[in-house]
Amino acid sequence: MRSAESIDTIVVIGGGISGLSSAFYLRKMAEEQGRSIQIELVEAGPQLGGKINTLHRDGFVIEKGPDSFLSRKLPIIELAHDLGIEEELVPTNTKAAKTYIMKDGRLHSMPKGLVLGIPTSILPFLESDLVSGQGKLTALADVWKRPQPQDDDESLGGFLARRIGDEIVKHIAEPLLAGIYAGDLYKLSLQATFPQFAQYEKEHGSIILGSRHQRALMAEKNKGKPPATFMTFRKGLTTMVEALIKELESITIHTGIKVDALNPQARGYELSLSNGQKLQADAVIVTTPAYAAHDLLKEHIENRMLEAIRYVSVANVVLAFDKSTIDVQFDGSGFLVPRSEGLRITACTWTSNKWLHSTPDDKVLVRCYVGHSEDQESIKLDDEALVAAVREDIEKAIGLKATPIFTEITRLNRSMPQYPVGHVQAIRELRTELNEKLPGVWVTGAAFDGVGLPDCIRQGKEAARLMLDYIAHKS
């Protein structure tokens, strides 16, 4: 039995943004509550930060992993304030707000008023060439179509096709929404990806009317001024990782070490590390990819939800140019490519337009995305072939023929978890079994409740609160 002076230990497994956020909020909340705890973080890789990877090169700020976040998702803004780095936040360039979508080999401006692919301003939508006349009528019929709320989960693609038609899904929603998950809309769970759409149907009878209502609320909140859709940090997203690491100097961090086994003890758990060390823990937060969490927990639970989550590999190719060699003018922040167009790239960001801080004045920076759930072969091309394929695609799309002064390729293998239909219920069942068989062990991160940076930060904060509550009631 423990003495009254013993200090509870919480081990965080995984040093990506979910794990770092868990550790940060464990320390912060414990201090606010006047509690003494010991925190240890174990990361299998050589460095912390997960997919966040900013490269500073020749005056460029280049993101090799994620490049920004949705500003309407507040957990990351709140974390920036908690870290004292909010002044480093920068929005997208308002003069490059236009985004294009390719159709039949040509780029078409995305109509104003689209909210996550849903038309909320009717006239611009009617004037767009992205959807045929019949497709527009089918989409707008959502306003008076009888609502059919489902008790069970359904696919995101199936739901959107039911409400606004196949054509708008193919030409607008698929490149816009599937790009977030690199997945197939007809296989992704509605409840796990965009549950607000189902809520709009239930509350407003229409996703168009529901989206318009939400847009009006946001406009009122922002006093009529349209908020920046995306934000990042002036010196790159590693600003946040570096600030987190600095705040966590007082905890024990192990890098380049894997947790090989987790075994229940009379009180808490013993973790066996790949370097032969043993850690004792009162509670454990697992923030690894689902397949790694499965390997760690499979001996103790019957649920195979973690094993069933499929991961998609993607790559991004960054190309830097001398502005003097560019023979085309591009007035937007980038363009999206539906899979039906047959290109290798799924999207292209004109980074030097979108983020003014990213590029010297006499240079141009372009970033292209490759790979999705139905194309796992393109990212396997060797570097030379991959760059050639990307250059061929951007020449087709915008006529850019210039030779880059350098390129940067990042391959993110098994990086995008796919949320299948029934995902939310499967998580609930997994956590119920974990609570019964491994109390004090919590699994969280991108594989569970959102792949974006704000979602991972929110989940890390929730994990910290839950585990602090657990050890408080256990003592």
Side-chain angles (χ1 to χ4, degrees):
M1 193 169 191
R2 292 192 169 193
S3 67
E5 293 79 19
S6 63
I7 297 176
D8 290 306
T9 298
I10 301 178
V11 174
V12 178
I13 304 176
I17 192 61
S18 300
L20 290 172
S21 299
S22 297
F24 172 75
Y25 281 111
L26 280 170
R27 186 190 62 78
K28 185 175 186 295
M29 292 176 185
E31 287 182 356
E32 291 170 348
Q33 296 169 17
R35 295 168 60 182
S36 294
I37 62 169
Q38 181 175 336
I39 304 167
E40 300 211 28
L41 186 147
V42 186
E43 164 56 38
Q47 62 188 31
L48 302 172
K51 292 188 284 292
I52 296 175
N53 184 2
T54 306
L55 170 68
H56 294 94
R57 174 176 176 176
D58 303 331
F60 292 89
V61 179
I62 298 171
E63 297 291 5
K64 295 171 70 64
D67 74 337
S68 58
F69 57 89
L70 284 169
S71 60
R72 64 181 172 81
K73 292 194 171 185
L74 298 182
I76 193 166
I77 306 290
E78 294 165 352
L79 177 60
H81 281 273
D82 290 336
L83 293 170
I85 57 172
E86 65 273 17
E87 292 184 359
E88 292 297 310
L89 289 167
V90 290
T92 50
N93 176 20
T94 56
K95 295 181 179 179
K98 192 180 293 184
T99 302
Y100 293 84
I101 298 179
M102 179 176 276
K103 182 186 178 187
D104 299 329
R106 292 178 53 244
L107 296 186
H108 301 261
S109 178
M110 192 182 295
K112 292 182 179 179
L114 279 184
V115 177
L116 296 172
I118 309 303
T120 63
S121 296
I122 304 306
L123 186 57
F125 177 64
L126 291 174
E127 293 174 343
S128 172
D129 293 329
L130 281 167
V131 183
S132 70
Q134 182 57 52
K136 292 169 185 174
L137 288 175
T138 301
L140 296 179
D142 166 75
V143 173
W144 60 82
K145 189 181 296 181
R146 183 174 66 86
Q148 297 175 298
Q150 306 292 307
D151 293 329
D152 297 326
D153 194 10
E154 59 185 310
S155 76
L156 175 59
F159 172 85
L160 291 174
R162 173 166 66 80
R163 294 304 312 179
I164 55 177
D166 293 314
E167 193 176 341
I168 194 172
V169 172
K170 177 181 179 181
H171 294 298
I172 296 179
E174 183 270 315
L176 190 61
L177 302 183
I180 299 171
Y181 295 90
D184 182 343
L185 291 189
Y186 290 92
K187 295 177 182 177
L188 292 173
S189 158
L190 172 66
Q191 291 297 335
T193 55
F194 296 95
Q196 65 267 41
F197 289 163
Q199 199 65 25
Y200 294 162
E201 182 183 35
K202 184 179 295 184
E203 294 180 359
H204 300 273
S206 156
I207 56 171
I208 290 178
L209 294 179
S211 297
R212 289 183 69 175
H213 176 73
Q214 185 62 30
R215 184 185 177 201
L217 290 178
M218 290 298 294
E220 182 180 348
K221 181 179 178 181
N222 291 284
K223 299 181 180 178
K225 296 179 181 179
T229 303
F230 295 99
M231 298 186 78
T232 189
F233 292 90
R234 196 179 315 278
K235 296 179 182 178
L237 289 168
T238 51
T239 299
M240 180 172 55
V241 174
E242 289 167 356
L244 281 165
I245 293 171
K246 184 177 180 181
E247 288 291 324
L248 294 173
E249 287 178 348
S250 62
I251 78 167
T252 303
I253 296 177
H254 312 261
T255 57
I257 298 171
K258 183 173 178 288
V259 178
D260 287 333
L262 178 151
N263 295 305
Q265 302 291 296
R267 179 184 173 107
Y269 299 91
E270 181 180 78
L271 280 65
S272 301
L273 307 188
S274 57
N275 64 352
Q277 187 178 353
K278 306 283 188 182
L279 295 182
Q280 303 301 316
D282 294 276
V284 180
I285 300 174
V286 182
T287 70
T288 64
Y291 50 84
H294 167 71
D295 289 343
L296 187 63
L297 303 174
K298 64 184 178 182
E299 299 301 320
H300 306 290
I301 59 174
E302 296 177 6
N303 192 297
R304 290 294 179 261
M305 175 263 185
L306 293 170
E307 184 182 26
I309 294 178
R310 179 190 175 203
Y311 275 76
V312 166
S313 300
V314 295
N316 62 68
V317 180
V318 174
L319 306 98
F321 301 90
D322 278 317
K323 187 176 286 186
S324 61
T325 67
I326 300 294
D327 52 1
V328 296
Q329 294 294 321
F330 191 73
D331 63 348
S333 62
F335 61 89
L336 305 169
V337 182
R339 296 174 190 183
S340 56
E341 293 296 315
L343 300 190
R344 299 272 194 181
I345 63 174
T346 60
C348 175
T349 300
W350 200 275
T351 305
S352 46
N353 274 9
K354 186 175 182 179
W355 305 109
L356 296 179
H357 67 279
S358 69
T359 311
D361 292 340
D362 61 341
K363 300 293 189 291
V364 168
L365 194 64
V366 176
R367 169 169 152 142
C368 294
Y369 302 80
V370 178
H372 54 75
S373 60
E374 309 309 310
D375 175 19
Q376 290 292 275
E377 295 303 314
S378 293
I379 65 164
K380 297 176 184 177
L381 295 171
D382 63 40
D383 288 359
E384 184 178 352
L386 183 57
V387 170
V390 167
R391 290 186 63 192
E392 179 182 351
D393 282 357
I394 58 177
E395 181 177 347
K396 288 178 182 177
I398 56 177
L400 178 60
K401 300 179 181 179
T403 301
I405 55 177
F406 69 80
T407 60
E408 288 285 345
I409 298 172
T410 307
R411 301 172 194 272
L412 299 166
N413 295 313
R414 298 183 79 184
S415 60
M416 304 295 289
Q418 305 295 290
Y419 297 165
V421 174
H423 179 76
V424 174
Q425 179 61 29
I427 292 173
R428 191 176 298 121
E429 292 171 357
L430 169 67
R431 286 181 170 155
T432 297
E433 185 179 1
L434 275 175
N435 186 55
E436 294 171 353
K437 295 181 178 178
L438 296 173
V441 174
W442 186 259
V443 287
T444 195
F448 295 89
D449 189 23
V451 299
L453 297 177
D455 298 307
C456 291
I457 291 166
R458 170 181 50 78
Q459 293 177 79
K461 190 174 185 178
E462 290 171 353
R465 187 186 68 254
L466 285 166
M467 291 299 94
L468 285 173
D469 287 346
Y470 169 77
I471 61 174
H473 288 93
K474 171 186 165 187
S475 300

